[in-house]
Amino acid sequence: MQTIWLDGAEWLAVLRIGLGLWWLESWRHKDKKEWFTGGGVNWAVGIAEKHRWPVVSRGFAAVVKPRPKAMAYVVAYAELALGLGLIAGFLTPVALVAGLLLNLLYFVLMIHDWAEQGQNLMMGLISAVALFGVSWQSWSVDGGLGLFT
């Protein structure tokens, strides 16, 4: 593979780190006080209740709605862990698969909102490319420790 400036593995590391920064920004921009007191889940309740797929409404009502505070912490700290893990390249394949699943959940919940679909599709695409491109070969804790080789 011929590239300019960096080799292929390094460009994949740039992609992985950029995705990590995107997840970190998702965590950073949240109003934590509002988010952890139910703001995030309360916002999503209305979306889930009107969802065009009944399975999404029922699943949200059964899993998320009864636990708004716990789910707010799960989402926020999952975004933080994904961001830090991808930037450092620690447990990278685990982080990429987890991020892909989180993007899929967001995508399905927000199926009617084109702006959210675009972000989640792009993040999912980057996750897939970084995963199948073995983006932890360069500039990563995983690579330094010889994990996932």
Side-chain angles (χ1 to χ4, degrees), residues 18-40:
L19 179 61
L21 290 169
W22 200 343
W23 278 115
L24 208 55
E25 176 57 19
S26 291
W27 175 80
R28 188 204 62 80
H29 87 271
K30 284 179 175 38
D31 177 348
K32 306 300 184 295
K33 185 176 181 182
E34 171 69 18
W35 184 263
F36 293 134
T37 57

Side-chain angles (χ1 to χ4, degrees), residues 112-148:
H112 67 281
D113 186 332
W114 287 104
E116 287 291 326
Q117 283 185 353
Q119 173 177 321
N120 289 297
L121 281 174
M122 287 293 87
M123 290 177 83
L125 176 62
I126 294 168
S127 293
V129 169
L131 179 65
F132 294 113
V134 191
S135 64
W136 53 93
Q137 295 175 71
S138 288
W139 307 339
S140 72
V141 172
D142 295 337
L145 296 176
L147 300 175
F148 310 109

Side-chain angles (χ1 to χ4, degrees), residues 1-147:
M1 171 191 301
Q2 183 178 352
T3 66
I4 297 173
W5 191 39
L6 302 173
D7 67 27
E10 291 168 338
W11 279 117
L12 284 166
V14 168
L15 196 63
R16 182 197 80 230
I17 293 165
L19 179 61
L21 290 169
W22 200 343
W23 278 115
L24 208 55
E25 176 57 19
S26 291
W27 175 80
R28 188 204 62 80
H29 87 271
K30 284 179 175 38
D31 177 348
K32 306 300 184 295
K33 185 176 181 182
E34 171 69 18
W35 184 263
F36 293 134
T37 57
V41 172
N42 290 337
W43 163 79
V45 165
I47 293 166
E49 286 174 346
K50 295 181 270 183
H51 203 279
R52 65 176 77 163
W53 298 339
V55 68
V56 173
S57 300
R58 287 192 305 269
F60 192 93
V63 176
V64 179
K65 192 174 178 182
R67 303 166 189 84
K69 191 169 185 171
M71 296 312 288
Y73 277 93
V74 166
V75 168
Y77 287 104
E79 291 175 347
L80 177 62
L82 288 168
L84 295 174
L86 291 172
I87 291 166
F90 182 63
L91 300 177
T92 310
V94 175
L96 289 167
V97 169
L100 194 53
L101 291 173
L102 195 54
N103 282 124
L104 180 62
L105 286 170
Y106 290 164
F107 180 78
V108 168
L109 179 62
M110 300 300 296
I111 196 77
H112 67 281
D113 186 332
W114 287 104
E116 287 291 326
Q117 283 185 353
Q119 173 177 321
N120 289 297
L121 281 174
M122 287 293 87
M123 290 177 83
L125 176 62
I126 294 168
S127 293
V129 169
L131 179 65
F132 294 113
V134 191
S135 64
W136 53 93
Q137 295 175 71
S138 288
W139 307 339
S140 72
V141 172
D142 295 337
L145 296 176
L147 300 175

